[in-house]
């Protein structure tokens, strides 16, 4: 599990009404279908050192802001973590343990589930929140994955780990603790955390390991964990700045280069190497540091380019930006752009 301690937050720290596939803490996505709405946020409410044996900085919180008290068959609300096939291969067809710390306002039966690449194998298991608003350590035993089914052991999705808040009947099963031949997320006994706006769910300290015994959380230096996350998402912005248009440059960390041509012609930046090679050629989003558009900014004369685009998108290791200058663009003027490269599973 990459960023199981919820330490890395490159995209920001609060996400109101997130859509499906919104990432909050790095590597942690949100899956939603239904009328319910949550706010995802970085929380400093964490297990104590006395309980956990280690100091956590953050947990990931899903706070219900619009309730869904009557679930339709197709409704689904879940936090998920996708493990890349290269990383999952070592664990495939072997017994694993999932351990984590959870807190919820909703007591009763909750679920953890895992699913394969082709959505034709899944495993659901119960855990119980015994006391509301209290951190509890949970361990989940998962039988060795079957050799049958569609599995990816390279750059695709090796395994999806889900922590559902609620799930409709299309995604639930009455049987837990064994491998199913379809994509099931929760059991029919799972409580509905989405049924009241007073409800929330928090999680941290997530670990997946070989064997049938859960081990203590391993220490991973911040820079090492950040680099592991950057295989899937990297940005030009300074770490504490959430990607957005018109947030400024300089201290905010924009990419700067000089104009090598003059006038309203196409100008291309030098190649910029990513800090970490991406899982695949990323989707690149561009941001103007000083205006509410996605154009290259001419810092020298406070003008914006047109037709700005990211080139070499098939590359896992580098980025080139191109755009059309204004008539007044001169050789040697300073140009700037922010970018975010997304290669998430």
């Amino acid at each position: 599990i990459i960023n199981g301690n919820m330490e890395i937050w490159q995209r920001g720290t609060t996400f109101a009404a997130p859509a499906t596939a919104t990432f909050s803490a790095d590597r942690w996505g949100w899956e939603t279908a239904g009328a319910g709405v949550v706010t995802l946020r970085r929380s400093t409410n964490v297990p104590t050192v006395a309980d956990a044996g280690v100091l956590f900085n953050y947990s990931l919180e899903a706070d219900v802001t619009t309730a869904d008290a009557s679930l339709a068959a197709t409704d689904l609300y879940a936090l998920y973590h996708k493990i890349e096939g290269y990383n999952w291969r070592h664990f495939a067809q072997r017994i694993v343990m999932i351990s984590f710390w959870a807190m919820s306002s909703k007591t009763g039966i909750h679920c953890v589930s895992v699913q394969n690449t082709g959505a034709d194998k899944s495993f659901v298991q119960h855990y119980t929140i015994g006391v509301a608003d209290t951190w509890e350590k949970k361990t989940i035993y998962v039988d060795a994955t079957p050799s049958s089914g569609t599995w990816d052991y390279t750059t695709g999705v090796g395994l999806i780990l889900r922590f559902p808040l609620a799930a409709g009947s299309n995604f639930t099963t009455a049987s837990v603790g064994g491998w199913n031949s379809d994509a099931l997320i929760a059991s029919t006994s799972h409580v509905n955390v989405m049924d009241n706006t007073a409800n929330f769910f928090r999680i941290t300290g997530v670990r997946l390991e070989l064997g049938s015994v859960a081990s203590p959380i391993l220490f991973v230096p911040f820079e090492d964990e950040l680099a592991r996350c950057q295989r899937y998402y990297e940005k030009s912005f300074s770490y504490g700045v959430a990607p957005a248009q018109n947030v400024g440059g300089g201290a905010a960390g924009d990419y700067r280069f000089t104009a090598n041509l003059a006038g309203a012609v196409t100008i291309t930046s030098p190649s910029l190497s990513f800090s970490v090679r991406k899982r695949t050629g990323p989707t690149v989003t561009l941001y103007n540091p000083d205006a509410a558009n996605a154009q290259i900014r001419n810092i020298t004369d406070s003008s914006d380019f047109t037709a700005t685009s990211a080139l070499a998108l098939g590359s896992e290791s580098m980025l080139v930006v191109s755009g059309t200058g204004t008539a007044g663009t001169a050789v040697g003027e300073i140009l700037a752009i922010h970018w975010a490269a997304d290669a998430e599973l």
Side-chain angles (χ1 to χ4, degrees):
I1 302 296
I2 297 173
N3 201 29
N5 292 351
M6 313 302 171
E7 188 75 19
I8 309 298
W9 296 74
Q10 293 190 81
R11 297 169 175 85
T13 57
T14 301
F15 306 83
T20 282
T22 295
F23 284 80
S24 51
D26 274 59
R27 306 297 348 278
W28 290 92
W30 172 247
E31 192 169 12
T32 179
V37 179
V38 303
T39 292
L40 302 176
R41 63 170 60 92
R42 186 176 72 181
S43 173
T44 55
N45 190 318
V46 294
T48 66
V49 174
D51 286 338
V54 64
L55 177 63
F56 292 106
N57 275 334
Y58 308 116
S59 63
L60 169 55
E61 176 182 292
D63 181 36
V64 180
T65 56
T66 300
D68 185 353
S70 181
L71 296 172
T74 56
D75 286 355
L76 174 63
Y77 307 93
L79 297 167
Y80 68 83
H81 180 97
K82 294 181 178 180
I83 301 174
E84 186 177 349
Y86 278 129
N87 296 333
W88 171 247
R89 180 189 58 78
H90 179 70
F91 299 83
Q93 301 177 37
R94 304 168 76 181
I95 295 169
V96 299
M97 288 292 291
I98 300 167
S99 57
F100 55 95
W101 285 87
M103 173 193 280
S104 180
S105 55
K106 189 88 171 182
T107 58
I109 293 174
H110 291 58
C111 291
V112 174
S113 64
V114 293
Q115 177 190 305
N116 70 341
T117 313
D120 55 11
K121 296 294 177 183
S122 61
F123 185 101
V124 178
Q125 186 56 278
H126 288 159
Y127 68 95
T128 300
I129 295 292
V131 182
D133 305 348
T134 302
W135 283 104
E136 298 178 8
K137 176 71 176 291
K138 305 299 176 183
T139 57
I140 305 294
Y141 175 96
V142 180
D143 290 336
T145 56
S147 58
S148 60
T150 304
W151 300 88
D152 189 306
Y153 299 123
T154 57
T155 59
V157 177
L159 194 80
I160 306 174
L161 169 64
R162 284 187 177 92
F163 294 91
L165 276 67
S169 59
N170 283 5
F171 305 103
T172 60
T173 175
S175 175
V176 299
W179 283 94
N180 304 288
S181 296
D182 48 14
L184 299 173
I185 308 302
S187 84
T188 51
S189 301
H190 193 292
V191 297
N192 182 2
V193 180
M194 297 296 299
D195 68 359
N196 193 302
T197 56
N199 291 344
F200 67 86
F201 177 80
R202 298 186 183 116
I203 190 167
T204 195
V206 184
R207 188 172 184 192
L208 185 150
E209 60 188 313
L210 287 172
S212 56
V213 179
S215 302
I217 288 292
L218 292 175
F219 171 69
V220 180
F222 179 89
E223 288 299 317
D224 292 349
E225 195 76 292
L226 176 60
R228 295 169 72 196
C229 292
Q230 286 175 329
R231 175 169 171 78
Y232 306 92
Y233 182 87
E234 185 179 347
K235 62 180 184 176
S236 61
F237 299 84
S238 298
Y239 176 75
V241 178
Q245 304 292 349
N246 197 26
V247 297
D254 55 5
Y255 170 48
R256 297 192 174 192
F257 57 99
T258 57
N260 56 0
L261 296 171
V265 298
T266 299
I267 296 174
T268 302
S269 75
S271 297
L272 181 152
S273 296
F274 295 131
S275 297
V276 176
R277 181 178 292 275
K278 301 293 168 275
R279 177 186 65 85
T280 188
T283 298
V284 178
T285 303
L286 300 175
Y287 304 85
N288 188 324
D290 295 320
N293 58 54
Q295 304 296 335
I296 293 171
R297 181 72 168 182
N298 187 324
I299 300 296
T300 302
D301 67 9
S302 299
S303 64
D304 293 331
F305 277 38
T306 59
T308 300
S309 63
L311 307 178
L313 297 188
S315 172
E316 302 164 358
S317 59
M318 54 83 69
L319 170 68
V320 173
V321 179
S322 176
T324 303
T326 64
T329 299
V331 172
E333 290 185 330
I334 299 173
L335 312 178
I337 192 78
H338 281 298
W339 55 267
D342 190 332
E344 283 287 359
L345 289 157

